[in-house]
Amino acid sequence: MSIRFIQEINSGTKNAFLKKDIICYYINNGENTLADLGKEMNLSIPTVTKLVGELIEEGFVVDFGKQETAGGRRPNIYGLNENSGYFVGVDIQKFYVHIGLVNFKGEIMESKLNIPFKMDHTHESFDKICDIINHFLDNAIVPRDKVLSIGINISGRVNTQSGHSYSFFFFDEKPLTDVFAERFGINVSIDNNSRAMVYGEFLKGCVNGEKNIILVNISWGLGIGIIVNGQLYYGKSGFSGEFGHMTAFDNEIMCHCGKKGCLETEASGSYIHRKFLEKINNGYSSSITKKIEKKEEIILEDIINAALNEDILAIELIEEVGNTLGKHIAGLINLFNPELVVIGGTVSAAGDYLFLPLRSAVKKYSLNLVNKDTSIKLTKLGDKTGVLGACMLARSKMIGLI
């Protein structure tokens, strides 16, 4: 079923594009009558009837029967068949992985969050992530052969068109998507994690009709996802959004990108983690000092949780990062004039400890005429932002919507 449809989409015929548009309409608007669908798409009733009939045969659309009306003849309503296929999203973080499964309507059916994992540019790390994904597929609530596509989020430079990741798992010239597909026996797409997050918020999160959006992903690193006029912005090679690698400081801190002075070196989760350990070594106290004394590994989430439990050192570092980021997000607002800025990523779980100083700095450093029409919100989806975005991207790419 899915192979036939993909082949038809790739054929580039008018019929294929119209069917794709019908699916897109149902995704965005839900069920409707053939008459209303034809009116919205400016197509005749015979044409709509033929196309929807083919989509029913292919399993993507369902006839839900008669519509309830106050009187008169009741037309049938049609919509997506939620069981026509499923999509898996994988959100790879520095110290863990989130995996989720959605049906064709984009409704989340199953998710596994915070699966232990350490992201490294090694073959061992690659094998481990493949094992985690295969285990999820083997134990999912739907058979593996019902999964139409897998979307995988990776931080750094990702060219989703060529299927290459240049920051992680770039072991040879073979597209990473092909290597993953060989491991799973399922179509795979990859994308930058910040871009997937903004797509998740756009379709399932705090976006309420806005079409020009920036999501700031404050996790171990720092990046942004951009939507312009309702469309994901990729840039020429798919590398847009490297906000964390803007030169911002005259420091000697070497960023993982190989350059010095990057914004990420003083405004990210990795900065909070590094400074926290430095201060502990210099005699500062914290509620998690005992964990350090036991030589247990401290991860970023430990520091966030400490702040939420009123740990002064953790709060001070998070507020510092909020203030620093706010200044530079003010620059983004001056540059892009977006309708909405969403604050997401691991550090956003600190809530107002991050958000209040960030918003205050934005107000102080952005132009009043520019920022008055820009809303700033914390992510609505939390830990599920990236995994839902990965699922939605897998679906949209599979049916040719992006």
Side-chain angles (χ1 to χ4, degrees):
M1 177 183 62
S2 61
I3 294 174
R4 176 184 167 189
F5 183 73
I6 292 170
Q7 289 173 340
E8 187 175 4
I9 289 292
N10 291 336
S11 71
T13 64
K14 182 179 179 182
N15 196 62
F17 282 119
L18 288 173
K19 286 161 75 171
K20 180 186 76 174
D21 289 343
I22 289 172
I23 289 179
C24 184
Y25 174 84
Y26 285 138
I27 286 173
N28 293 327
N29 301 284
E31 296 85 10
N32 216 327
T33 66
L34 293 180
D36 288 336
L37 178 64
K39 190 182 299 181
E40 289 290 332
M41 297 187 63
N42 197 28
L43 295 172
S44 67
I45 293 297
T47 299
V48 168
T49 302
K50 173 180 176 294
L51 294 170
V52 170
E54 290 178 6
L55 286 169
I56 290 173
E57 289 179 10
E58 292 163 1
F60 288 101
V61 173
V62 172
D63 180 348
F64 290 106
K66 301 296 183 183
Q67 184 182 42
E68 293 298 327
T69 60
R73 189 174 179 180
R74 297 181 297 170
N76 285 31
I77 58 173
Y78 300 82
L80 290 180
N81 176 7
E82 62 183 36
N83 299 314
S84 60
Y86 299 84
F87 302 90
V88 168
V90 182
D91 187 37
I92 305 175
Q93 300 288 327
K94 179 67 176 176
F95 296 108
Y96 51 83
V97 180
H98 302 317
I99 305 183
L101 172 80
V102 302
N103 62 21
F104 205 87
K105 283 187 173 182
E107 299 164 338
I108 194 151
M109 307 295 293
E110 183 179 8
S111 64
K112 302 292 184 184
L113 305 180
N114 300 312
I115 302 169
F117 171 76
K118 188 169 183 180
M119 182 64 155
D120 289 310
H121 182 50
T122 63
H123 287 281
E124 291 76 15
S125 184
F126 176 75
D127 288 339
K128 178 64 175 176
I129 193 64
C130 288
D131 290 343
I132 289 171
I133 296 169
N134 266 318
H135 183 267
F136 180 85
L137 292 168
D138 289 340
N139 295 278
I141 60 174
V142 299
R144 182 188 284 251
D145 61 5
K146 291 288 284 182
V147 176
L148 303 183
S149 188
I150 302 171
I152 301 177
N153 301 342
I154 304 175
S155 62
R157 269 67 68 200
V158 177
N159 188 323
T160 190
Q161 295 297 323
S162 69
H164 287 92
S165 165
Y166 295 98
S167 298
F168 291 97
F169 308 144
F170 185 59
F171 304 128
D172 54 47
E173 293 298 326
K174 188 174 183 179
L176 182 59
T177 47
D178 291 351
V179 181
F180 273 131
E182 289 171 2
R183 292 288 189 109
F184 310 134
I186 299 170
N187 179 70
V188 175
S189 63
I190 59 174
D191 218 316
N192 173 268
N193 57 345
S194 299
R195 190 174 298 120
M197 288 172 69
V198 76
Y199 199 59
E201 287 289 346
F202 182 63
L203 292 181
K204 296 289 182 178
C206 66
V207 175
N208 187 25
E210 294 92 350
K211 300 294 185 184
N212 296 283
I213 306 149
I214 296 173
L215 179 139
V216 183
N217 176 16
I218 314 162
S219 296
W220 186 256
L222 177 66
I224 60 173
I226 308 166
I227 288 180
V228 178
N229 293 328
Q231 300 293 320
L232 282 171
Y233 180 75
Y234 279 87
K236 172 65 177 176
S237 306
F239 303 151
S240 67
E242 292 294 342
F243 183 45
H245 301 294
M246 294 175 59
T247 302
F249 305 107
D250 187 18
N251 63 31
E252 291 300 310
I253 302 172
M254 182 68 72
C255 182
H256 69 86
C257 73
K259 302 183 185 301
K260 296 178 180 179
C262 290
L263 178 59
E264 189 173 297
T265 62
E266 296 190 29
S268 64
S270 58
Y271 170 79
I272 292 171
H273 185 265
R274 185 180 75 246
K275 292 298 289 186
F276 184 87
L277 295 181
E278 284 180 7
K279 286 183 176 290
I280 292 296
N281 290 333
N282 289 330
Y284 285 77
S285 63
S286 165
S287 59
I288 54 175
T289 302
K290 289 182 180 179
K291 190 172 183 180
I292 298 171
E293 291 172 350
K294 293 178 182 178
K295 301 191 183 302
E296 296 178 10
E297 185 177 18
I298 300 296
I299 62 174
L300 178 59
E301 287 76 8
D302 293 325
I303 303 171
I304 304 300
N305 290 332
L308 295 173
N309 287 295
E310 301 184 351
D311 184 280
I312 299 302
L313 176 58
I315 289 171
E316 287 178 351
L317 288 172
I318 291 167
E319 287 180 341
E320 178 193 339
V321 164
N323 182 64
T324 303
L325 272 176
K327 294 178 183 179
H328 294 277
I329 292 172
L332 290 178
I333 291 172
N334 291 343
L335 185 65
F336 285 97
N337 189 204
E339 296 167 83
L340 175 65
V341 174
V342 183
I343 307 300
T346 305
V347 182
S348 71
D352 283 346
Y353 291 129
L354 175 78
F355 191 65
L356 294 181
L358 185 152
R359 189 171 58 183
S360 178
V362 166
K363 187 174 181 180
K364 181 177 179 180
Y365 291 100
S366 59
L367 297 171
N368 290 336
L369 270 178
V370 181
N371 74 28
K372 70 181 181 68
D373 292 325
T374 299
S375 298
I376 305 176
K377 298 179 182 178
L378 277 171
T379 173
K380 181 180 178 181
L381 299 173
D383 286 343
K384 292 184 178 179
T385 309
V387 73
L388 267 171
C391 290
M392 297 298 98
L393 282 172
R395 183 184 66 176
S396 293
K397 290 173 182 176
M398 199 276 302
I399 59 179
L401 296 181
I402 58 174

